[in-house]
Amino acid sequence: MAEKVKYSFIIPVYNREAYIVRCLDSIHHQTKQDVSFEVIVVDDGSTDETAKRVQEYPSERIRYFYIPHSNPCMARKKGIEEARGEYLAFVDSDDHIDERYIEILDPYTGEADIIEFGRYHADNSYIFMPYKYYKEETPLEHFLRSALKGYPWSLVTRIFSCGLFQKPLEYADYFFAEDYYLLAQLYTRVCRDILDIQQVLYYSEPSVNSLTRSVVDERMLTGIYALESVLKNYGESEKVKKYMKAKLAVSIPGIEGQLYQYNRPVFEKNQELLRRTFRKYCTWDILSYIGWKSRIKIILYAISPQVFFYMRRCYKKVKEKS
């Protein structure tokens, strides 16, 4: 029988030879070393020197697996299947974690199924902090509310009890919002508490060829399909339905704005689909569920997408100069 450990760090990786050592260093140089952990690196068919960097890394904690190139979702699936930890943590290969990650989280692990914590994102020098979980809401409602308010819907900003993975997850080929789809499933399985740690423990410094940063094409539409799947599969309560419709309404202008600016042929092909979907979900009763910035965003888009695109470009130029 495989030896159990306290933490399994799962790292999907594809062609990240320049970043993977920094990622591994951040895990192995933890201030708290008297807790058992493993690092599961799942190589999604890299063609550069990633495998060499991992296999030469001086640590017996690393377990390296290679799979034919598919997508990050399948790499994570492999990592979850191989994990032996009481808690599972996910780290993107071009990011890194705080050296006190285990030291800070470890005292709380006996109390919760999910522990959320802060994330620093270098793209916009912004810090995202988790929101408090209120007992009068369901775990899924907490997740949807937090995502709508801006807390990252990403596996990397949480650690999870291994019990949440006893029942296999349903995976889908969503290039965008795959984490959202998986997290919705995990939050429906919570039996114990959800804790929030108001400290930054995760640092996102995406590489210039990061997948989601470099792709502006029809694959962006899969983000909408992922959100619609959550609404279809878990939209049993009115509150969940409102959260999901609000998230869809807020997401569509951003997707269309990206396509309009960077891929006009795909924009022209799909603009009617996007606007029809927006009209389907953007109703007056969702406005109370979103912040004032998002309200302005969807109201501008509803009045005139062209005006929204213009204001979006102006805002970006001002932000770049500041």
Side-chain angles (χ1 to χ4, degrees):
M1 185 175 178
E3 181 183 352
K4 296 288 288 184
V5 294
K6 183 68 178 288
Y7 299 98
S8 292
F9 289 92
I10 298 172
I11 308 174
V13 61
Y14 175 69
N15 287 352
R16 289 293 181 270
E17 61 177 313
Y19 305 94
I20 187 62
V21 171
R22 180 184 66 182
C23 178
L24 294 173
D25 281 345
S26 73
I27 299 172
H28 284 277
H29 296 163
Q30 290 291 299
T31 54
K32 187 174 179 61
Q33 289 287 326
D34 59 346
V35 174
S36 60
F37 65 87
E38 64 180 359
V39 181
I40 299 173
V41 179
V42 183
D43 188 341
D44 187 23
S46 294
T47 57
D48 64 357
E49 296 292 307
T50 294
K52 182 179 179 182
R53 298 283 186 274
V54 175
Q55 291 169 336
E56 290 181 347
Y57 194 87
S59 172
E60 296 181 354
R61 300 182 194 263
I62 293 178
R63 300 170 63 207
Y64 173 82
F65 300 91
Y66 179 93
I67 63 172
H69 184 53
S70 52
N71 58 54
C73 192
M74 291 299 100
R76 284 194 180 126
K77 180 176 184 291
K78 176 65 174 175
I80 291 168
E81 291 170 349
E82 297 292 342
R84 302 176 300 192
E86 296 176 32
Y87 278 83
L88 275 61
F90 297 85
V91 185
D92 288 342
S93 56
D94 44 7
D95 297 341
H96 58 283
I97 63 173
D98 192 279
E99 64 180 5
R100 300 165 301 152
Y101 186 101
I102 293 177
E103 178 184 342
I104 291 171
L105 294 178
D106 198 59
Y108 302 97
T109 51
E111 306 173 30
D113 279 333
I114 298 178
I115 304 176
E116 305 169 336
F117 45 83
R119 175 182 184 177
Y120 171 79
H121 206 289
D123 268 359
N124 48 17
S125 300
Y126 195 81
I127 291 175
F128 301 90
M129 286 296 185
Y131 294 93
K132 182 176 177 57
Y133 169 49
Y134 297 106
K135 301 300 183 180
E136 61 268 22
E137 63 184 354
T138 68
L140 178 60
E141 288 169 354
H142 164 75
F143 163 63
L144 298 177
R145 173 175 62 86
S146 296
L148 198 54
K149 293 177 72 172
Y151 184 62
W153 24 287
S154 171
L155 292 167
V156 302
T157 53
R158 303 150 168 92
I159 63 170
F160 307 86
S161 167
C162 64
L164 300 180
F165 299 89
Q166 288 182 351
K167 178 183 175 183
L169 291 169
E170 179 184 336
Y171 295 88
D173 191 16
Y174 298 129
F175 194 87
F176 285 85
E178 57 158 281
D179 281 15
Y180 196 100
Y181 186 68
L182 295 177
L183 283 166
Q185 298 176 62
L186 291 169
Y187 275 82
T188 62
R189 302 176 181 184
V190 169
C191 295
R192 296 186 295 169
D193 206 353
I194 299 169
L195 298 180
D196 62 286
I197 304 298
Q198 298 296 312
Q199 288 182 261
V200 173
L201 299 179
Y202 192 93
Y203 299 86
S204 292
E205 300 186 41
S207 53
V208 293
N209 61 340
S210 174
L211 286 175
T212 52
R213 289 180 56 180
S214 59
V215 171
V216 184
D217 58 28
E218 285 187 306
R219 284 175 287 183
M220 295 188 75
L221 301 181
T222 64
I224 297 173
Y225 305 149
L227 298 179
E228 288 186 318
S229 292
V230 174
L231 175 60
K232 177 183 176 181
N233 296 329
Y234 304 105
E236 297 176 357
S237 74
E238 281 303 311
K239 186 175 283 189
V240 167
K241 288 178 183 177
K242 295 288 176 57
Y243 281 143
M244 288 308 308
K245 289 179 179 179
K247 187 64 180 175
L248 279 155
V250 170
S251 298
I252 290 169
I255 292 172
E256 189 172 342
Q258 284 281 93
L259 293 174
Y260 178 82
Q261 185 172 356
Y262 299 111
N263 196 330
R264 200 62 65 88
V266 174
F267 161 76
E268 292 172 354
K269 178 182 176 183
N270 292 283
Q271 62 177 312
E272 182 51 40
L273 167 67
L274 287 164
R275 292 174 191 182
R276 187 169 64 248
T277 306
F278 176 80
R279 291 191 295 269
K280 178 180 178 181
Y281 296 114
C282 188
T283 54
W284 285 109
D285 57 350
I286 69 168
L287 292 180
S288 62
Y289 287 80
I290 59 179
W292 65 268
K293 287 185 179 179
S294 294
R295 291 184 196 181
I296 294 172
K297 177 179 175 180
I298 64 175
I299 289 171
L300 277 175
Y301 180 82
I303 294 170
S304 169
Q306 297 299 328
V307 170
F308 169 74
F309 299 152
Y310 174 75
M311 296 298 293
R312 186 174 181 272
R313 288 199 304 272
C314 291
Y315 174 76
K316 283 193 169 183
K317 287 180 181 179
V318 170
K319 195 171 181 180
E320 287 171 0
K321 290 180 181 178
S322 61

